[in-house]
Amino acid sequence: MTSDSASTPARAQDRSASQMRPVTLTPNVMKNATGSCLAEFGDTRVLCSATVEEGVPSWRKGSHAGWVTAEYAMLPASTNRRTSREYRGRKGRSMEIERLIGRSLRAVCRLDRLGEVTITLDCDVLQADGGTRTASVTGAWVALHAALLSLVEKGRLPRLPLTGQVAAISAGIVGGRPLLDLDYPEDSHADVDLNLVGNEKSQIVEVQGTGERALLSREQLDELLDLGQAGIAQLTELQSQVTGFRL
Amino acid sequence: MTSDSASTPARAQDRSASQMRPVTLTPNVMKNATGSCLAEFGDTRVLCSATVEEGVPSWRKGSHAGWVTAEYAMLPASTNRRTSREYRGRKGRSMEIERLIGRSLRAVCRLDRLGEVTITLDCDVLQADGGTRTASVTGAWVALHAALLSLVEKGRLPRLPLTGQVAAISAGIVGGRPLLDLDYPEDSHADVDLNLVGNEKSQIVEVQGTGERALLSREQLDELLDLGQAGIAQLTELQSQVTGFRL
Amino acid sequence: MTSDSASTPARAQDRSASQMRPVTLTPNVMKNATGSCLAEFGDTRVLCSATVEEGVPSWRKGSHAGWVTAEYAMLPASTNRRTSREYRGRKGRSMEIERLIGRSLRAVCRLDRLGEVTITLDCDVLQADGGTRTASVTGAWVALHAALLSLVEKGRLPRLPLTGQVAAISAGIVGGRPLLDLDYPEDSHADVDLNLVGNEKSQIVEVQGTGERALLSREQLDELLDLGQAGIAQLTELQSQVTGFRL
Amino acid sequence: MTSDSASTPARAQDRSASQMRPVTLTPNVMKNATGSCLAEFGDTRVLCSATVEEGVPSWRKGSHAGWVTAEYAMLPASTNRRTSREYRGRKGRSMEIERLIGRSLRAVCRLDRLGEVTITLDCDVLQADGGTRTASVTGAWVALHAALLSLVEKGRLPRLPLTGQVAAISAGIVGGRPLLDLDYPEDSHADVDLNLVGNEKSQIVEVQGTGERALLSREQLDELLDLGQAGIAQLTELQSQVTGFRL
Amino acid sequence: MTSDSASTPARAQDRSASQMRPVTLTPNVMKNATGSCLAEFGDTRVLCSATVEEGVPSWRKGSHAGWVTAEYAMLPASTNRRTSREYRGRKGRSMEIERLIGRSLRAVCRLDRLGEVTITLDCDVLQADGGTRTASVTGAWVALHAALLSLVEKGRLPRLPLTGQVAAISAGIVGGRPLLDLDYPEDSHADVDLNLVGNEKSQIVEVQGTGERALLSREQLDELLDLGQAGIAQLTELQSQVTGFRL
Amino acid sequence: MTSDSASTPARAQDRSASQMRPVTLTPNVMKNATGSCLAEFGDTRVLCSATVEEGVPSWRKGSHAGWVTAEYAMLPASTNRRTSREYRGRKGRSMEIERLIGRSLRAVCRLDRLGEVTITLDCDVLQADGGTRTASVTGAWVALHAALLSLVEKGRLPRLPLTGQVAAISAGIVGGRPLLDLDYPEDSHADVDLNLVGNEKSQIVEVQGTGERALLSREQLDELLDLGQAGIAQLTELQSQVTGFRL
């Protein structure tokens, strides 16, 4: 299968199947957060911040280790139809996403070297055009890096407790064609949707593939993983550029 | 009383007592909202959006009139100490502020000319440095104007159903000295705090003055009202410049 | 403008524009409360109680100071249409009112002389006919005074930690005419509504003026403040009579 | 067994074992409720109101019948230790009591003759000294009667849809001695507690007997039922006197 | 009155009026619970478990005594119409039942000999065909016995802290006829419903009788109590057989 | 890598790395549910039921299509430490799992042929020993099949609206060794955890792989997918045997 065949409908901005949207990661955009990053994937904009608080959740007390957790929310007007705030009960989707963000960042953070602090990554979607969860993971790592660097600079940590980077990207099959980094119109028509979280060494932190409209063959899964891993390589390189972090 | 006496401690950026921080109102910053405005008062940044939805709350059904309401929230990392999201119950402060925003905008909007739609003004504080509620009111008017203009342009309304403008500003007594547009450090030390909502003709839409640390004489109230009304005149002029709206 | 002009419709019970309804403040009406007061403003009846509990909210621990807070609720049948209890989420209006009551009483109470106790002022509206929030503030002060006196009598406090009195009254513009102490029918037709909290020395503790139906000129605000301050003088005098408290 | 033996400790106010506290039922004490009653059993004071609203709960729609339901709450300062309001979740005890009140009143009300209206009996405890649930049932019947009478007088009902009266009383075994109408100190020391709801013809609407501190023999249950039934005869007679209702 | 008259409609499975459905109590059916029991009354199936946790509720701290409590829930598909889970607020019925289970078991358990542990009896209805609350009490005692026996065997308690057994059964008047152990169709048509909790010595722990469709004479109450006490004698005998417990 | 090497610690019951625990699927175990299945994977026991209700969620009204959804809960005593019921807010984990179950079943059900009904799959974990979400998916398909068959038999559907089967299994890397169908002790020590949902034709419905303790190479992912797909082949064969369903 040739996934870039000329006969299929063109993507917006003439993107090729394996091409990501323009991505920018802008660190330190919030005055009051310990670390922050505005992550933009095309028109998707997520404001990620890292806040450091003393203490850990009660179930971790006495562990002599820290905790890293995440919260994810969409501004009501970030979406085409207004999205309600979750005042009367959390949505499953939001909890799923914030659990994913938290797990992904804990995978590369030495909690045992943090001390008994909790770092919360808040990922607030200012504008949604597909891929908000993967932009959140990618930007949250930059925010976390900035916050940890600030703790090092203040002498509260001897060195960065990071074992590596983590970034995420989506891929999917749209009209029979595997595409990288779906925007909202593509996502709405995707038969299969894959979210991949990985590091700078082509290792996988998390993979979630779902076929609600169509089932997925093993070959298709492989194609999507190939696309995703190539995307993550680009994203971790960009993270290195904006943070100066390289293992 | 000389409220700008040289013997009192200087304000940040050498502001005079009756001087506002630099204010910018940037309309149409959100792709998916019908109308939007980023309101900045110094380091305070509030993203205001206006979303139009069919239908009105059940208690207004059959009224042949529309409804304008507001929601206010702070991003967790907008403040010095992380602010919790209101998932387990609303805070009184937030509800108070969103009720204020809603009342202020309804005061200048002809609900009977809107049709049975609900316009929600979402005011999300990206960064807090004092005066978030007054920045919200001021920016929300710009967002509302943009949304209504869009309805007019789409032919859904024959003309703008606005009877005027509305803007808001804070004033307070700090160290015995009446000051306009308090930033967060000033607000934290204010003996008396006044929030004033007004229009472009020096009329008052809402006044809220509180003296938790000190009581307020009638003369002091008058001084604060003078300061506030001067500030509102500048803000409504700025609104006119960015929107082109003049009665 | 003559605010008592004979040509405007008469008020119920032939009240003049600057005349309050009959007010009674009956202290110590509840057997189990440390202090209590039944506040009646015409047909409005609010049962105010002050309960003293050991300890302070967690965010005040270690301050060596006490805390004074308030809760406000309406009995479901206190109003013309049954009012729902707030079991599934607080109403903004109630939270706004109880925050106002709490701030008003803290303005005249030396928290640093209370010890680490929390005093809760419960204001339960038995019957509503306008002005429930101002009756609550006025009655709550009497209940607080009674509770503090009881602590002094039991030897738990060396002297009353009160720096003065606090009372509240409403005023509004109805049919173009400034009126003091609106009853429910007047309140329903008011163009402008002012709630004023003050002390026995004509100082202002809190002012809240709202014009949802009409805007307010600075002159009108002045007239309403005059009416309100005259009312508060009468109310603080009545408080002195029923409690024996005079600074 | 002689339940009034001189050797046992005297009851407050020298009550005999089978003697109720002074009971007063004062109808129509609330201006805005369709029907109301202040029920006083000694120092226990419950304000009962009946509100009539159009419509029935969704699960009864189309039944061509009405509904009678109840809500029960204690003012925070009605008890010795302040009782929290149930904002963050209902208490099992309150729900149990309001279900009891509702069932008891439905047992004597012809719902099929009400039309599709809902009558809510709100029972708010102003002061608690034992027996609040039984005072609630007894007073709620008077409030319901007043509300129904008002509907008859307004021509909305052809005749009273009541098949009889309903009243309630507690009894218990304290220090081995069966007592009628326990006050709070007695209730706190009771080994066995019985609440009896009955009508004016010695029929039983509901019986609830609990022995958490001691088990109950069948003979003791019989003694308590005898005491309770005698009490209910007095209460239904008092209801007849204050309402004029007699079958 | 002859309650088994041949002219009345037969019960399912030709039960006589005073005959219970086949009852089985199967202890130790859950691998992870400290104690458990599957209680079956005909088609009613309740899975009861007893879990032991360190510590007691905060209001019991320092009492040097333990606590026994219960939770009751129905699987959604246990009933004919799907029953919603109580995620958005507890139902009064469930809270009433779990309070009854808790009180019943505390009546025969020496809390002062438990140490500061909390034992929770979870009663989950797998299938409902009437009598779920009484099956819960009866099965919960077996689960509690098993849990306590396990604590004795592990050396954490010197001996069983039980003062006796507790079992429960329903009775009711259906078509004028007193019946023991109502199944769901009978319960749906019962005029009067009695739940009786008792011990192995014919003592009563709790009695709850309700006549929502018809009132109850004292004679009928006596008949129902006779039926119920005979049923409890059989149930406590069965409990002894399956547990080996006899006082 | 040889994943069954003799040098690694043996699995319980001497399972080989690619061997599932004994699995039984028992359909129609609940009298009141339209369809049901008890799914047992070793000591893991999940009771799955399918309930058919008229109507669809409001956001699907007018679609002329049905809806299939799921709820997942654990009995408190199903786990080693008691699991709290989710009365005060849902857990992210539960919502994630019930969303997975719902998506998986919708992937093989023709919603457009259901009519406007909602089928709820309730998956209640009676006993947990690892793999409860995969047992839920596998059992829920059997329950759904039984419910749909019942609708066909009652003439409410012309034929089964199923496009195939769906089953799920876990795999993971424990001590460096890829294992199929982890039990709880294995799951607790797994470095990487994969849940795979698939059909009887080796197609993938959903894949979720997480490495919180270790990162995952592409080769390892392939090994886990191989294991999982072999497991799903066995499970769909078992489903065919117990239901008679074969495409």
Side-chain angles (χ1 to χ4, degrees):
Chain A
M1 169 172 190
T2 55
S3 53
D4 264 322
S5 135
S7 63
T8 51
R11 306 183 77 181
Q13 274 85 42
D14 288 316
R15 270 204 284 161
S16 73
S18 60
Q19 193 181 350
M20 285 194 295
R21 293 173 286 179
V23 176
T24 61
L25 301 170
T26 315
N28 296 321
V29 292
M30 298 179 81
K31 173 188 175 180
N32 293 319
T34 317
S36 62
C37 174
L38 177 65
E40 296 171 277
F41 282 55
D43 280 336
T44 288
R45 293 217 293 260
V46 184
L47 191 48
C48 306
S49 61
T51 312
V52 183
E53 292 170 299
E54 291 303 313
V56 287
S58 55
W59 55 272
R60 271 186 85 83
K61 270 183 191 142
S63 64
H64 302 294
W67 188 239
V68 170
T69 186
E71 296 196 2
Y72 168 95
M74 305 181 98
L75 290 207
S78 64
T79 45
N80 245 306
R81 290 175 63 102
R82 187 174 180 276
T83 297
S84 307
R85 296 175 198 269
E86 300 180 19
Y87 291 148
R88 286 163 185 280
R90 304 297 316 280
K91 285 178 199 152
R93 177 182 176 274
S94 305
M95 297 180 84
E96 214 168 284
I97 294 175
E98 62 198 34
R99 283 159 54 87
L100 169 68
I101 303 168
R103 278 195 308 269
S104 299
L105 291 168
R106 286 193 297 272
V108 296
C109 185
R110 289 287 301 261
L111 302 178
D112 57 334
R113 294 196 178 156
L114 270 183
E116 289 212 356
V117 301
T118 295
I119 303 184
T120 304
L121 280 310
D122 284 289
C123 297
D124 287 88
V125 178
L126 303 186
Q127 195 163 278
D129 188 28
T132 62
R133 84 184 65 191
T134 49
S136 295
V137 169
T138 307
W141 184 85
V142 177
L144 176 62
H145 174 271
L148 293 172
L149 200 60
S150 154
L151 295 180
V152 171
E153 284 165 359
K154 288 174 193 150
R156 291 187 48 189
L157 287 178
R159 63 181 170 285
L160 275 187
L162 286 172
T163 60
Q165 297 170 234
V166 70
I169 195 69
S170 77
I173 298 181
V174 185
R177 193 180 171 213
L179 300 179
L180 183 65
D181 186 24
L182 308 186
D183 63 18
Y184 180 73
E186 291 169 343
D187 192 49
S188 310
H189 294 91
D191 290 321
V192 166
D193 184 35
L194 184 94
N195 288 293
L196 187 68
V197 186
N199 71 0
E200 72 282 13
K201 297 181 222 150
S202 296
Q203 286 174 305
I204 294 168
V205 174
E206 183 122 1
V207 55
Q208 295 190 343
T210 301
E212 199 163 326
R213 258 193 227 93
L215 303 184
L216 183 66
S217 68
R218 188 73 181 270
E219 291 68 35
Q220 288 175 313
L221 176 58
D222 279 335
E223 280 191 293
L224 294 176
L225 289 167
D226 288 343
L227 278 175
Q229 290 195 300
I232 285 172
Q234 296 172 53
L235 292 170
T236 52
E237 173 57 28
L238 181 59
Q239 288 176 331
S240 288
Q241 289 169 16
V242 302
T243 62
F245 178 94
R246 271 181 219 278
L247 265 203
Chain B
M1 165 172 191
T2 55
S3 54
D4 265 321
S5 136
S7 63
T8 51
R11 306 183 77 183
Q13 274 86 40
D14 287 316
R15 273 205 282 160
S16 74
S18 60
Q19 193 182 349
M20 287 195 293
R21 292 172 288 179
V23 175
T24 61
L25 300 170
T26 314
N28 296 320
V29 293
M30 296 178 82
K31 173 187 175 181
N32 293 318
T34 317
S36 63
C37 175
L38 178 65
E40 296 170 278
F41 281 56
D43 281 335
T44 288
R45 291 215 296 260
V46 184
L47 190 48
C48 306
S49 62
T51 312
V52 183
E53 292 170 299
E54 291 304 312
V56 286
S58 55
W59 56 271
R60 271 186 84 84
K61 272 187 190 139
S63 65
H64 302 294
W67 188 240
V68 170
T69 186
E71 296 195 4
Y72 168 94
M74 305 181 98
L75 290 208
S78 65
T79 46
N80 244 307
R81 287 176 63 103
R82 187 173 179 276
T83 298
S84 307
R85 298 175 197 268
E86 300 180 20
Y87 291 148
R88 287 164 185 278
R90 303 298 315 281
K91 285 179 199 151
R93 176 182 176 275
S94 305
M95 296 180 83
E96 215 169 283
I97 293 175
E98 62 196 35
R99 283 159 54 86
L100 169 69
I101 302 168
R103 280 194 309 269
S104 298
L105 290 169
R106 287 192 295 273
V108 296
C109 185
R110 290 286 301 260
L111 301 179
D112 57 335
R113 294 194 178 158
L114 270 185
E116 288 212 357
V117 302
T118 296
I119 303 184
T120 304
L121 279 311
D122 283 289
C123 298
D124 286 89
V125 178
L126 303 185
Q127 196 163 277
D129 189 29
T132 63
R133 83 183 67 191
T134 50
S136 294
V137 169
T138 307
W141 184 86
V142 177
L144 176 63
H145 174 271
L148 294 171
L149 200 61
S150 155
L151 295 180
V152 171
E153 285 165 358
K154 288 174 192 151
R156 291 188 48 189
L157 287 177
R159 63 181 168 286
L160 275 186
L162 287 172
T163 60
Q165 296 169 235
V166 70
I169 195 71
S170 77
I173 297 182
V174 186
R177 192 180 172 214
L179 300 179
L180 183 64
D181 186 25
L182 308 185
D183 63 19
Y184 180 72
E186 290 169 343
D187 192 49
S188 311
H189 294 90
D191 290 322
V192 166
D193 182 36
L194 184 94
N195 288 293
L196 187 68
V197 186
N199 70 1
E200 72 282 14
K201 298 182 221 150
S202 296
Q203 288 175 304
I204 293 167
V205 175
E206 183 121 1
V207 55
Q208 295 189 342
T210 301
E212 198 164 327
R213 256 192 229 94
L215 303 183
L216 183 67
S217 70
R218 188 72 181 270
E219 292 68 36
Q220 288 174 311
L221 176 59
D222 279 337
E223 278 191 294
L224 293 177
L225 288 166
D226 288 344
L227 277 176
Q229 289 195 300
I232 285 172
Q234 296 172 54
L235 291 170
T236 52
E237 174 56 29
L238 181 58
Q239 287 176 332
S240 289
Q241 289 169 15
V242 302
T243 63
F245 178 93
R246 272 181 217 279
L247 265 201
Chain C
M1 168 172 188
T2 56
S3 56
D4 264 320
S5 136
S7 64
T8 52
R11 306 182 76 181
Q13 275 86 43
D14 287 315
R15 272 204 284 159
S16 73
S18 60
Q19 193 181 349
M20 285 194 294
R21 292 172 288 178
V23 175
T24 61
L25 299 170
T26 314
N28 296 322
V29 292
M30 296 179 82
K31 173 189 175 180
N32 292 320
T34 318
S36 62
C37 174
L38 178 65
E40 297 171 277
F41 282 55
D43 280 336
T44 288
R45 292 215 295 261
V46 184
L47 190 50
C48 306
S49 61
T51 311
V52 182
E53 292 170 298
E54 291 303 314
V56 287
S58 54
W59 55 272
R60 271 185 85 83
K61 270 185 192 142
S63 64
H64 302 293
W67 188 241
V68 171
T69 186
E71 296 196 3
Y72 168 95
M74 305 182 98
L75 290 207
S78 65
T79 45
N80 245 305
R81 287 175 65 101
R82 187 173 180 276
T83 298
S84 307
R85 298 175 197 268
E86 299 179 19
Y87 290 148
R88 285 164 185 280
R90 304 296 318 279
K91 284 177 198 152
R93 177 182 177 273
S94 305
M95 295 180 84
E96 214 170 283
I97 294 175
E98 62 197 35
R99 282 158 54 87
L100 169 68
I101 302 168
R103 280 195 307 269
S104 299
L105 292 169
R106 286 193 297 271
V108 296
C109 186
R110 291 286 301 261
L111 301 179
D112 57 335
R113 294 195 178 158
L114 270 184
E116 288 211 356
V117 302
T118 296
I119 303 185
T120 305
L121 279 311
D122 284 289
C123 298
D124 286 89
V125 179
L126 303 185
Q127 196 162 275
D129 188 30
T132 62
R133 84 183 66 192
T134 49
S136 294
V137 169
T138 308
W141 184 86
V142 177
L144 176 62
H145 174 271
L148 294 172
L149 199 60
S150 154
L151 294 181
V152 171
E153 285 165 359
K154 288 174 193 152
R156 292 187 47 187
L157 289 177
R159 62 182 170 285
L160 275 186
L162 287 171
T163 60
Q165 298 170 234
V166 70
I169 194 70
S170 77
I173 298 182
V174 185
R177 193 182 171 213
L179 301 179
L180 183 65
D181 186 24
L182 308 186
D183 62 19
Y184 180 73
E186 290 169 343
D187 192 49
S188 312
H189 295 90
D191 290 322
V192 167
D193 183 35
L194 184 94
N195 288 293
L196 187 68
V197 186
N199 71 359
E200 72 281 14
K201 296 182 222 151
S202 296
Q203 287 174 305
I204 294 167
V205 174
E206 182 122 2
V207 56
Q208 294 190 342
T210 301
E212 197 164 329
R213 259 193 226 93
L215 303 183
L216 182 68
S217 69
R218 188 72 182 269
E219 293 67 37
Q220 287 174 313
L221 176 58
D222 279 336
E223 279 192 292
L224 293 177
L225 288 167
D226 288 344
L227 278 176
Q229 289 195 300
I232 283 171
Q234 296 172 53
L235 291 171
T236 52
E237 174 57 29
L238 181 59
Q239 286 176 332
S240 288
Q241 289 170 15
V242 302
T243 61
F245 178 93
R246 272 181 218 279
L247 265 203
Chain D
M1 169 171 191
T2 55
S3 54
D4 264 321
S5 134
S7 63
T8 52
R11 307 183 76 181
Q13 275 86 41
D14 287 316
R15 273 204 282 159
S16 74
S18 60
Q19 195 182 347
M20 287 194 294
R21 292 172 288 180
V23 176
T24 61
L25 300 170
T26 314
N28 296 321
V29 292
M30 296 179 82
K31 173 188 174 180
N32 292 320
T34 317
S36 64
C37 175
L38 177 65
E40 295 171 278
F41 283 55
D43 280 336
T44 288
R45 291 215 296 260
V46 184
L47 190 50
C48 306
S49 61
T51 312
V52 183
E53 291 170 299
E54 290 304 313
V56 287
S58 55
W59 55 272
R60 271 186 84 84
K61 269 185 192 141
S63 65
H64 302 292
W67 187 240
V68 171
T69 186
E71 295 195 4
Y72 168 95
M74 305 181 98
L75 291 208
S78 64
T79 45
N80 245 307
R81 288 176 65 102
R82 186 172 181 277
T83 297
S84 307
R85 297 175 197 268
E86 300 180 19
Y87 289 149
R88 287 166 184 277
R90 304 297 316 279
K91 285 179 199 152
R93 176 182 177 272
S94 305
M95 296 180 84
E96 213 170 284
I97 293 176
E98 64 196 36
R99 283 159 54 87
L100 169 69
I101 302 168
R103 279 195 308 268
S104 298
L105 291 169
R106 287 193 297 272
V108 296
C109 185
R110 291 287 301 262
L111 301 179
D112 57 335
R113 295 195 178 158
L114 270 184
E116 288 212 356
V117 302
T118 296
I119 303 184
T120 304
L121 280 311
D122 283 290
C123 298
D124 286 89
V125 178
L126 304 185
Q127 195 162 278
D129 188 28
T132 62
R133 82 183 67 189
T134 50
S136 294
V137 169
T138 307
W141 184 87
V142 176
L144 175 63
H145 174 271
L148 293 172
L149 199 61
S150 154
L151 294 181
V152 170
E153 284 165 0
K154 288 173 193 152
R156 290 188 47 188
L157 287 177
R159 63 182 171 285
L160 275 186
L162 286 172
T163 61
Q165 297 168 235
V166 70
I169 195 72
S170 77
I173 297 182
V174 185
R177 194 180 169 211
L179 300 179
L180 184 64
D181 186 25
L182 308 185
D183 63 18
Y184 180 71
E186 291 169 343
D187 193 48
S188 310
H189 293 91
D191 290 321
V192 167
D193 183 35
L194 184 93
N195 287 293
L196 187 68
V197 185
N199 72 0
E200 71 282 14
K201 296 181 223 152
S202 297
Q203 287 174 304
I204 294 166
V205 174
E206 183 122 359
V207 56
Q208 294 189 343
T210 301
E212 198 164 325
R213 255 192 230 94
L215 303 184
L216 182 67
S217 69
R218 186 73 181 270
E219 293 67 38
Q220 287 174 313
L221 175 59
D222 279 336
E223 278 192 294
L224 293 177
L225 288 167
D226 287 344
L227 277 176
Q229 288 195 300
I232 283 172
Q234 296 173 53
L235 291 171
T236 52
E237 174 55 30
L238 180 59
Q239 287 176 332
S240 288
Q241 289 170 17
V242 302
T243 61
F245 178 92
R246 271 182 218 279
L247 266 202
Chain E
M1 166 171 192
T2 55
S3 56
D4 264 322
S5 134
S7 64
T8 51
R11 307 181 76 181
Q13 275 84 41
D14 287 316
R15 272 205 284 160
S16 73
S18 60
Q19 194 181 350
M20 286 194 294
R21 291 173 288 179
V23 176
T24 60
L25 301 170
T26 313
N28 296 321
V29 292
M30 296 178 82
K31 173 188 174 180
N32 292 319
T34 317
S36 62
C37 175
L38 178 65
E40 296 171 277
F41 283 55
D43 280 335
T44 288
R45 292 216 294 259
V46 184
L47 190 49
C48 306
S49 61
T51 312
V52 183
E53 292 170 299
E54 290 305 312
V56 287
S58 55
W59 55 272
R60 271 186 85 83
K61 273 189 188 136
S63 64
H64 301 294
W67 188 238
V68 170
T69 186
E71 296 196 2
Y72 168 95
M74 304 181 99
L75 291 208
S78 65
T79 46
N80 244 306
R81 287 175 66 101
R82 188 173 178 277
T83 298
S84 307
R85 297 174 198 267
E86 300 180 20
Y87 290 148
R88 286 166 184 278
R90 303 297 317 279
K91 285 178 199 151
R93 176 183 176 274
S94 305
M95 296 180 83
E96 213 170 284
I97 293 175
E98 62 197 34
R99 283 159 54 87
L100 169 68
I101 302 168
R103 280 196 306 270
S104 298
L105 291 169
R106 286 192 297 272
V108 296
C109 186
R110 291 286 301 262
L111 302 178
D112 58 334
R113 295 195 178 158
L114 270 184
E116 288 211 357
V117 301
T118 296
I119 303 184
T120 305
L121 279 311
D122 283 289
C123 298
D124 286 89
V125 178
L126 304 186
Q127 195 161 277
D129 188 29
T132 62
R133 84 183 66 192
T134 49
S136 293
V137 169
T138 307
W141 184 86
V142 176
L144 176 62
H145 174 271
L148 294 172
L149 199 61
S150 153
L151 294 181
V152 170
E153 285 165 359
K154 288 173 192 152
R156 292 187 47 189
L157 288 177
R159 63 180 170 286
L160 276 186
L162 288 172
T163 60
Q165 298 169 234
V166 69
I169 195 70
S170 78
I173 297 182
V174 185
R177 194 182 170 210
L179 300 179
L180 183 64
D181 186 24
L182 308 186
D183 63 18
Y184 179 72
E186 290 170 344
D187 192 49
S188 311
H189 294 91
D191 290 322
V192 166
D193 183 37
L194 183 93
N195 288 292
L196 187 67
V197 186
N199 71 359
E200 71 283 13
K201 295 182 222 151
S202 296
Q203 286 174 306
I204 293 166
V205 174
E206 182 121 3
V207 56
Q208 294 190 343
T210 300
E212 196 163 327
R213 258 192 228 96
L215 303 183
L216 182 68
S217 68
R218 187 73 181 270
E219 292 68 36
Q220 288 175 312
L221 176 59
D222 279 336
E223 278 192 292
L224 293 177
L225 288 167
D226 288 345
L227 278 176
Q229 290 194 300
I232 283 172
Q234 296 172 52
L235 292 170
T236 51
E237 173 57 28
L238 181 58
Q239 287 176 332
S240 288
Q241 288 170 16
V242 303
T243 61
F245 178 92
R246 272 181 218 280
L247 265 202
Chain F
M1 166 172 192
T2 55
S3 54
D4 265 320
S5 134
S7 63
T8 52
R11 306 183 76 182
Q13 275 85 42
D14 287 316
R15 273 204 282 159
S16 73
S18 60
Q19 193 182 349
M20 287 195 293
R21 292 173 289 179
V23 175
T24 62
L25 301 170
T26 314
N28 296 320
V29 293
M30 296 179 82
K31 174 187 174 181
N32 293 318
T34 316
S36 62
C37 175
L38 178 65
E40 296 170 276
F41 283 54
D43 280 335
T44 288
R45 291 215 295 260
V46 184
L47 190 49
C48 306
S49 61
T51 311
V52 183
E53 292 170 299
E54 291 304 313
V56 286
S58 56
W59 55 272
R60 270 186 85 84
K61 272 189 190 136
S63 65
H64 302 295
W67 188 239
V68 170
T69 185
E71 296 195 2
Y72 168 94
M74 304 182 99
L75 290 207
S78 65
T79 45
N80 245 307
R81 287 175 65 101
R82 187 174 180 276
T83 298
S84 307
R85 297 175 196 269
E86 299 180 21
Y87 290 149
R88 286 164 185 279
R90 303 298 315 281
K91 285 178 199 152
R93 177 183 177 272
S94 304
M95 296 180 84
E96 215 170 282
I97 294 176
E98 63 197 36
R99 283 160 55 87
L100 169 69
I101 303 169
R103 279 195 309 270
S104 298
L105 291 169
R106 287 193 296 273
V108 296
C109 186
R110 290 286 301 262
L111 301 178
D112 57 334
R113 294 195 178 159
L114 270 184
E116 287 211 357
V117 301
T118 296
I119 303 184
T120 305
L121 279 310
D122 284 289
C123 298
D124 286 89
V125 178
L126 303 186
Q127 196 162 278
D129 188 29
T132 62
R133 82 182 67 190
T134 50
S136 294
V137 169
T138 307
W141 184 86
V142 177
L144 176 63
H145 175 271
L148 293 172
L149 199 62
S150 155
L151 295 180
V152 170
E153 284 165 358
K154 288 173 192 152
R156 291 186 50 187
L157 287 178
R159 63 181 170 285
L160 276 186
L162 287 172
T163 60
Q165 296 169 236
V166 70
I169 195 71
S170 76
I173 297 182
V174 186
R177 193 182 171 210
L179 300 180
L180 182 65
D181 185 26
L182 308 186
D183 63 19
Y184 180 71
E186 290 168 344
D187 192 48
S188 311
H189 294 89
D191 290 321
V192 166
D193 183 36
L194 182 94
N195 288 293
L196 186 68
V197 186
N199 71 0
E200 71 283 13
K201 297 182 222 151
S202 296
Q203 287 174 305
I204 294 167
V205 174
E206 183 122 1
V207 55
Q208 294 190 342
T210 302
E212 197 163 327
R213 257 191 229 95
L215 304 183
L216 182 67
S217 68
R218 188 73 181 271
E219 292 66 38
Q220 287 174 314
L221 176 59
D222 279 335
E223 277 192 293
L224 293 177
L225 288 167
D226 289 343
L227 278 177
Q229 289 195 300
I232 284 172
Q234 297 172 52
L235 291 171
T236 52
E237 173 57 29
L238 181 59
Q239 287 177 332
S240 288
Q241 289 170 15
V242 302
T243 62
F245 179 93
R246 273 182 216 278
L247 266 202

